[in-house]
Amino acid sequence: MTYRKKLIEVALPLEAINVESAREKSIRHGHPSTLHLWWSRKPLATTRAVLWASLVDDPSSWPEKFPTEEAQNRERQRLFDILGRIELEKDKKGNTKQVVRGLVSWDEINQPNSAVLLEAQREIARCLAWERGEEPPTKPDAIQDYIAKYAPPAYDPFCGGGSIPLEAQRLGLQAHGSDLNPVAVLITKALIEIPPKFKDKPPVNPDSRQKQKISSWEGAQGLAADVRYYGQWMRDEAFKRIGFLYPMVETNHKGTKDTKVIAWLWARTVKCPNPACGCQMPLVNKFSLSTKKGKEAWVEPFVGDFNHKGTEGDFNHKGTEDTKGDDFGVSGVSPKIRFEVKTGKGTAPDGTVNRKGAVCIACNTPVPFDHIRREGKAGRMDSQLMAIVAEGQGGRVYLSPDEEQEYIAKKAQPEWKPDTELIGKAAVNVPLYGMTKHADLFTPRQLVALTTFSDLVSEAREKIKADAVAAGIPDDDLSLNDGGIGATAYADAVATYLAFAVDRVSDVCSTICSWNISRDGLRNTFARQAIPMSWDFAEANPMSDSTGNFNGAIDWIVEVIKKSSCSAPGQVIQLDATKNHKNDSIAKLISSDPPYYDAIPYADLSDFFYVWMRRSIGSIYPEIFNTLLVPKTQEMVADHFRHGSKEKAKQFFEDSLIQVFKRVNQINYQDYPVTIYYALKQTETDDQQNVSSTGWETILEGLIQANFSIDGTWPLRTEREARTRNINSNALASSIVLVCRPRPADAPKASRRQFLNELKRDLPQALKLLQQGNIAPVDLAQASIGPGMAIYSKYAAILESNGTSMGVRTALQLINQILDEFLTEQEGEFDSDTRWALTWFEQYQFNEALYGDAETLSKAKNTSIQGMVEAGILEAKAGKVRLLKREDLKTDWKPEKDERTPIWEITQHLIHTLDKNGETGAAELLAKLGNKADLAKELAYRLYSLCDRKGWTQEAIAYNSLVTSWPEITRLANEYKPSPEQLSFSL
């Protein structure tokens, strides 16, 4: 069939999108990601850009309006400026900085009556009108009405954290989402379905109705005001009931306890296996409390003994000669440990636990993990208060533990607890120590608090309903879940957000939480995508006014609600994406971020929140919460534990993915491309050293079997670079967005030779464009799959010489071969010294090797050992040769006076300067380097590929960092005015 090409099928302003997507990860207050934790959310800037570029026509699809290539380029640039552009602005200090403007900018779209958003919607409406042969609307209301009437609804069958349907709604489209996971369904409902239902409605709480003088409540402001009011009511009511469990402390030395506690810091304990000791030995990773300059604090442990009369004797500092070798068993009483907080100058003692095991602080006996695990599984693991963090006038105050505080904490008795089993990825670590149920992740006091808050959600719901009726909202007794919009439904809506506050508190109120000594704050349960063991943990005070408190959770949620779009209706349902739904009869624009093979088991992790949600609002959504835990059997993840073997897991994932993509092909609005995100780096090497990727193979096979062709690919930087997963993990720094169209039924077949010829002709140019777009080296191999598969997937089949169809795995291996050839061919652009250094580095890295071997290679590369020594890249002495490490390079190197400057030397100096002096220092050097700078970037790509293949992780990081910093280094370099000497400098 014929269709008009969309902008996303031709070109995108990648740099602006990537810069804003990376920046967005640091935006907090009011950002939808802070409504409720969800893992691996796509940045809104990315999803907004992909959706808009999928809706807007590329100028080349209108040759009658843009007849020349020049006119098309001019119009395309205009569209780029609407979508995202980078501008240079000066801050208050006069420093120049890069600022992203346009539709992708979070700041610009959140301005009142955003002109940027209206301009973007005008383009969508214009394309719709041109296609219909009508005059495009121009007035704001007319534009939005036109989009609502004629634009396709948008749908994400794996809505997760809701980024894609939320941004479709912001653009004016009717938004649809579905997910098997109840937590994901509720998050997306709260983002796109609930706010539009109660748009422009005033709050119902008596305080707002009596005191507020707001004449009109816009968007979801009224809803936000009610969430704040009833959240405060919950907090006040909880304090009345359980406030005695959260006593204040004394900090003024006047005998009055008038300071709120922020957190209690505990150490887990087990009995020392040494029979001569037998103390409850603390298990502590670190004794530091704060490393902030001028506010240093730490815990000092002391070991005590009892004399024969049972009174406490002298305490000796851990590790002193007084305690070593003591026979504590003589008295028949095990020693006890006490803690004191120290501040000022000093050094914190080493922790008692490391990767090899633990050590008893009293008798210095090494204790293996096997003993700790046995004690934990036998229910004999306990905890001891180590320090107290309180709210001081000048910041955090650290106090020594208090017996009364510890006694009050341990006397808490929860009336209910989530006795559900930890499963799968949530049960990898902590069950080894006897923590097998969700309840085991919390202290008794935390369980009392979370249960109290959960139960108060139901009580608050009844108050809200009564207040709504009193405010004049009719009560049709129809719930939100059943499509109601009256008093009952409104109470359900507010209660949903209140339940989210309980979930937010649970994330910072578990024994997995730890104290961040560099920031003086809590580190939440899900600091990474797992439930790890924490030896010393931080117990937040939900009644405080600081980190981890309930009112703070409400504040985060209220700020998100205030910024709700409310511009179009939304609908979210719980659905297995492989199953058909009655709404499938309506064609939709499809954009989705499907599961990444076996990367993240969302169901296992989200049980943590589900157990509290089910107690809080299970009665509001009975169908969604009709299972004890999150459904797992049909979750589309290749989990070999669930399916019995890796092969069965792979088969399940493949079969499911094909079903999903076939369904997508059936419901896709044919005028628009389907966009699929993928962000998994997973490769295997076979016996012939052919590289392939199971994850990529599976998703591509699914698309091709569902009769899609890959029309384009874009590397978009969606993953936060500072995340805890490192460069060796299976996460990409960029997501690869696959742009797909249904493959024509009459698509031809091609031979293997024809496929290879097209790959060799087209793929190198595509790779060059990717490099020019500054794709990170870590992502290049994955991104190259797109243009390669575009060739493969446009054919009905690629036939091997024996007549069988070439599989996706073989195609991927051929694409990797062409990539290797491309990178190797780029070596021809390098100077002789650099080509020698590359070959030598691949064999010896920076290690010494024989002079004779080096000299033989130098003759083959048309260079000389002495010349490279003089160039400053090599050391040769005592019959040995080695490449100089970056730290060995000349510190006073002046390239303008260096007569022999290999690209190798330039690249290593740039990386070293970047590491030591940051982007500004690297830019100053780059400004002096003339026109060989781009070759340094190409060398970095080649070296990254080599290091990645060899498993040299730290070196790979260095080359990847240079490329990813290149745009900013280049921008800063342009600000330096070269001297006349530099202008005449030529390499």
Side-chain angles (χ1 to χ4, degrees):
M1 63 172 294
T2 58
Y3 52 80
R4 297 192 190 278
K5 276 201 168 187
K6 302 299 177 183
L7 185 64
I8 198 169
E9 296 174 283
V10 179
L12 286 177
L14 281 180
E15 188 177 354
I17 297 169
N18 289 338
V19 168
E20 186 65 10
S21 295
R23 185 184 82 90
E24 191 179 302
K25 296 283 184 173
S26 63
I27 299 172
R28 305 302 295 156
H29 267 75
H31 194 275
S33 63
T34 62
L35 178 70
H36 190 291
L37 187 145
W38 190 257
W39 303 271
S40 193
R41 261 190 178 98
K42 287 290 168 279
L44 303 185
T46 302
T47 57
R48 191 159 58 250
V50 167
L51 286 163
W52 189 79
S54 299
L55 290 160
V56 172
D57 299 331
D58 184 75
S60 63
S61 64
W62 290 97
E64 63 273 32
K65 297 180 183 293
F66 308 103
T68 66
E69 186 175 343
E70 182 183 358
Q72 290 172 14
N73 288 335
R74 190 165 53 245
E75 174 64 7
R76 197 173 289 126
Q77 185 59 54
R78 188 185 71 83
L79 294 175
F80 281 6
D81 288 344
I82 294 171
L83 180 53
R85 62 191 186 279
I86 295 177
E87 297 181 351
L88 298 180
E89 297 182 0
K90 290 189 179 295
D91 60 19
K92 293 179 180 179
K93 295 182 179 179
N95 299 318
T96 302
K97 62 176 183 177
Q98 284 185 325
V99 179
V100 176
R101 300 296 183 196
L103 182 64
V104 295
S105 167
W106 172 254
D107 298 330
E108 291 217 313
I109 64 160
N110 278 286
Q111 293 174 357
N113 302 315
S114 172
V116 166
L117 187 57
L118 179 62
E119 189 176 16
Q121 290 173 331
R122 181 180 286 111
E123 292 303 318
I124 297 172
R126 186 181 75 158
C127 293
L128 292 168
W130 280 0
E131 189 63 37
R132 295 176 56 80
E134 298 176 351
E135 193 64 28
T138 55
K139 294 183 178 180
D141 289 345
I143 289 170
Q144 290 162 6
D145 290 343
Y146 203 88
I147 292 173
K149 187 174 182 180
Y150 296 116
Y155 174 51
D156 179 2
F158 299 100
C159 61
S163 294
I164 293 171
L166 176 64
E167 291 311 310
Q169 185 180 65
R170 196 188 306 276
L171 292 174
L173 276 64
Q174 190 180 113
H176 294 258
S178 67
D179 207 294
L180 181 66
N181 192 303
V183 179
V185 171
L186 263 293
I187 292 171
T188 310
K189 272 184 181 289
L191 286 172
I192 72 164
E193 186 176 310
I194 295 175
K197 282 195 172 188
F198 304 103
K199 180 184 178 182
D200 301 336
K201 300 292 184 184
V204 303
N205 73 80
D207 187 58
S208 293
R209 286 191 287 133
Q210 291 172 13
K211 297 179 182 178
Q212 297 289 350
K213 296 181 180 180
I214 298 176
S215 57
S216 65
W217 295 80
E218 294 183 356
Q221 289 179 346
L223 181 64
D226 278 335
V227 172
R228 186 182 297 282
Y229 177 87
Y230 294 104
Q232 182 65 52
W233 176 85
M234 282 177 59
R235 190 268 177 202
D236 293 343
E237 194 63 27
F239 189 77
K240 291 176 188 176
R241 300 179 189 186
I242 61 172
F244 66 92
L245 291 175
Y246 300 93
M248 292 189 176
V249 291
E250 177 189 347
T251 57
N252 55 15
H253 306 293
K254 295 180 180 178
T256 56
K257 296 183 177 181
D258 57 0
T259 304
K260 289 182 180 178
V261 173
I262 293 173
W264 294 267
L265 308 184
W266 300 83
R268 298 189 200 273
T269 64
V270 295
K271 185 177 180 179
C272 174
N274 179 2
C277 176
C279 79
Q280 280 297 117
M281 48 177 274
L283 305 169
V284 180
N285 262 329
K286 59 187 180 306
F287 283 105
S288 292
L289 299 174
S290 175
T291 56
K292 282 189 174 181
K293 191 174 182 179
K295 296 184 179 181
E296 293 86 355
W298 68 95
V299 171
E300 199 80 52
F302 291 84
V303 180
D305 194 10
F306 286 84
N307 59 29
H308 296 293
K309 295 181 181 179
T311 59
E312 187 174 349
D314 292 335
F315 282 86
N316 299 300
H317 180 271
K318 174 224 172 188
T320 63
E321 291 300 322
D322 298 330
T323 63
K324 292 180 181 177
D326 279 353
D327 185 3
F328 290 114
V330 170
S331 66
V333 179
S334 297
K336 290 191 175 183
I337 312 300
R338 71 176 176 90
F339 301 109
E340 286 185 14
V341 168
K342 304 289 184 179
T343 58
K345 293 184 179 180
T347 304
D350 293 334
T352 64
V353 183
N354 58 32
R355 293 186 177 183
K356 296 179 181 178
V359 63
C360 176
I361 205 169
C363 66
N364 292 304
T365 298
V367 180
F369 279 124
D370 284 347
H371 172 75
I372 299 171
R373 289 164 181 163
R374 282 195 299 270
E375 290 293 288
K377 288 178 179 179
R380 293 191 292 267
M381 183 177 282
D382 202 350
S383 58
Q384 181 179 346
L385 188 60
M386 199 165 58
I388 299 170
V389 190
E391 297 174 347
Q393 290 184 348
R396 307 285 194 252
V397 175
Y398 294 93
L399 306 171
S400 296
D402 179 303
E403 285 186 9
E404 181 188 10
Q405 291 280 340
E406 187 162 0
Y407 169 76
I408 290 172
K410 293 196 172 184
K411 78 175 184 180
Q413 294 293 325
E415 295 180 1
W416 177 88
K417 56 186 179 181
D419 273 328
T420 42
E421 295 286 335
L422 293 168
I423 295 173
K425 293 290 186 179
V428 172
N429 197 332
V430 290
L432 297 174
Y433 303 93
M435 301 163 69
T436 60
K437 298 179 183 294
H438 288 98
D440 298 333
L441 302 176
F442 305 92
T443 68
R445 179 161 58 182
Q446 288 173 332
L447 288 170
V448 169
L450 290 169
T451 303
T452 300
F453 281 120
S454 294
D455 293 345
L456 281 168
V457 172
S458 298
E459 294 182 36
R461 178 182 173 276
E462 294 305 315
K463 283 183 64 67
I464 299 161
K465 182 177 177 181
D467 289 343
V469 171
I473 296 179
D475 184 17
D476 53 10
D477 208 28
L478 201 59
S479 71
L480 183 67
N481 194 48
D482 292 331
I485 56 172
T488 298
Y490 187 72
D492 292 346
V494 177
T496 300
Y497 295 107
L498 297 177
F500 281 18
V502 179
D503 272 9
R504 281 193 62 99
V505 171
S506 72
D507 188 34
V508 290
C509 281
S510 82
T511 63
I512 307 303
C513 298
S514 55
W515 191 251
N516 189 324
I517 62 175
S518 62
R519 299 178 60 185
D520 284 9
L522 279 167
R523 186 179 288 110
N524 64 322
T525 302
F526 289 104
R528 58 191 181 95
Q529 296 162 354
I531 299 180
M533 186 65 177
S534 292
W535 300 113
D536 46 287
F537 63 90
E539 181 190 9
N541 180 0
M543 305 297 176
S544 77
D545 300 319
S546 191
T547 178
N549 75 91
F550 184 79
N551 276 348
I554 291 291
D555 288 342
W556 285 104
I557 292 165
V558 165
E559 292 304 312
V560 175
I561 299 170
K562 280 182 180 178
K563 292 184 181 292
S564 295
S565 168
C566 300
S567 59
Q571 184 184 29
V572 189
I573 58 173
Q574 185 183 23
L575 183 70
D576 178 348
T578 64
K579 307 299 182 187
N580 293 324
H581 188 267
K582 60 183 180 181
N583 288 344
D584 288 358
S585 59
I586 302 170
K588 300 175 182 72
L589 169 69
I590 310 293
S591 185
S592 192
D593 180 23
Y596 303 154
Y597 198 62
D598 61 350
I600 302 171
Y602 298 114
D604 295 345
L605 299 180
S606 54
D607 279 340
F608 180 90
F609 297 116
Y610 181 87
V611 294
W612 298 110
M613 271 189 174
R614 191 167 187 261
R615 183 172 179 86
S616 300
I617 53 175
S619 60
I620 296 175
Y621 304 98
E623 295 172 359
I624 293 176
F625 291 101
N626 66 355
T627 54
L628 197 61
L629 290 171
V630 172
K632 295 175 179 63
T633 304
Q634 290 307 114
E635 185 185 25
M636 215 175 79
V637 177
D639 189 328
H640 62 276
F641 291 109
R642 289 183 198 167
H643 299 285
S645 69
K646 287 188 176 181
E647 188 54 42
K648 287 181 179 178
K650 181 176 182 288
Q651 193 62 50
F652 167 78
F653 186 82
E654 289 176 352
D655 292 346
S656 299
L657 200 62
I658 291 168
Q659 288 181 60
V660 171
F661 287 148
K662 283 183 176 179
R663 175 173 169 243
V664 164
N665 204 341
Q666 291 170 357
I667 64 178
N668 176 48
Y669 200 114
Q670 298 295 305
D671 288 347
Y672 301 91
V674 171
T675 48
I676 303 294
Y677 294 79
Y678 198 71
L680 183 75
K681 178 189 177 186
Q682 184 183 56
T683 58
E684 303 88 31
T685 305
D686 64 17
D687 295 337
Q688 284 75 45
Q689 298 301 302
N690 291 316
V691 178
S692 60
S693 165
T694 299
W696 269 111
E697 179 188 349
T698 304
I699 198 165
L700 293 168
E701 192 70 61
L703 285 166
I704 290 165
Q705 287 203 30
N707 292 318
F708 278 110
S709 62
I710 314 301
D711 201 43
T713 58
W714 299 104
L716 296 173
R717 190 154 293 275
T718 64
E719 310 304 323
R720 187 164 57 93
E721 291 180 8
R723 68 198 190 284
T724 55
R725 306 177 74 184
N726 66 24
I727 200 168
N728 271 341
S729 75
N730 275 344
L732 285 179
S734 299
S735 277
I736 308 302
V737 178
L738 302 169
V739 185
C740 310
R741 290 278 191 175
R743 187 168 57 249
D746 58 351
K749 296 179 180 180
S751 66
R752 179 189 179 100
R753 179 179 293 277
Q754 185 179 346
F755 172 58
L756 267 173
N757 288 340
E758 288 192 50
L759 269 183
K760 290 177 178 178
R761 184 191 67 202
D762 298 341
L763 188 55
Q765 182 59 30
L767 292 170
K768 196 73 176 174
L769 289 172
L770 285 169
Q771 287 185 336
Q772 289 170 359
N774 220 69
I775 186 171
V778 67
D779 297 330
L780 182 61
Q782 309 297 317
S784 68
I785 291 171
M789 289 308 297
I791 300 169
Y792 176 87
S793 62
K794 72 181 180 181
Y795 294 108
I798 305 294
L799 300 178
E800 299 280 15
S801 56
N802 62 2
T804 60
S805 294
M806 176 188 291
V808 168
R809 176 169 289 249
T810 302
L812 289 174
Q813 290 170 347
L814 291 172
I815 291 167
N816 272 303
Q817 287 176 20
I818 302 296
L819 171 62
D820 286 343
E821 291 172 12
F822 168 77
L823 292 172
T824 302
E825 286 172 5
Q826 284 188 328
E827 291 182 23
E829 301 177 29
F830 302 147
D831 55 83
S832 298
D833 292 350
T834 298
R835 290 199 300 272
W836 181 93
L838 256 174
T839 305
W840 188 263
F841 179 79
E842 183 171 10
Q843 197 164 359
Y844 302 110
Q845 207 184 34
F846 294 107
N847 300 314
E848 285 186 340
L850 294 173
Y851 185 97
D853 293 344
E855 187 174 33
T856 300
L857 179 63
S858 69
K859 291 177 180 177
K861 298 294 184 183
N862 195 28
T863 183
S864 69
I865 300 300
Q866 186 57 36
M868 289 185 286
V869 169
E870 292 171 359
I873 68 170
L874 201 64
E875 178 184 80
K877 61 183 182 181
K880 297 289 180 71
V881 168
R882 73 173 180 92
L883 283 166
L884 291 177
K885 295 179 181 179
R886 284 184 286 278
E887 55 267 31
D888 298 332
L889 296 171
K890 293 179 182 177
T891 55
D892 58 347
W893 184 56
K894 290 182 173 56
E896 63 272 22
K897 296 182 179 179
D898 193 342
E899 295 181 358
R900 185 166 179 162
T901 53
I903 302 304
W904 179 275
E905 183 180 24
I906 290 171
T907 305
Q908 302 301 337
H909 270 291
L910 279 170
I911 292 172
H912 187 62
T913 307
L914 176 65
D915 182 50
K916 297 301 179 185
N917 303 321
E919 292 173 342
T920 303
E924 191 171 357
L925 177 58
L926 185 65
K928 301 174 183 178
L929 286 172
N931 47 4
K932 276 197 177 181
D934 285 341
L935 287 180
K937 190 173 82 165
E938 287 186 10
L939 178 59
Y941 274 110
R942 179 75 181 98
L943 284 167
Y944 174 83
S945 176
L946 190 158
C947 292
D948 185 47
R949 188 173 68 249
K950 292 278 191 178
W952 299 339
T953 303
Q954 288 306 117
E955 272 299 294
I957 291 172
Y959 302 117
N960 191 68
S961 297
L962 178 62
V963 175
T964 54
S965 301
W966 197 263
E968 181 64 6
I969 294 172
T970 305
R971 182 189 72 78
L972 291 170
N974 290 333
E975 294 181 6
Y976 288 97
K977 293 182 179 179
S979 65
E981 184 182 19
Q982 291 168 348
L983 286 170
S984 63
F985 170 59
S986 176
L987 294 176

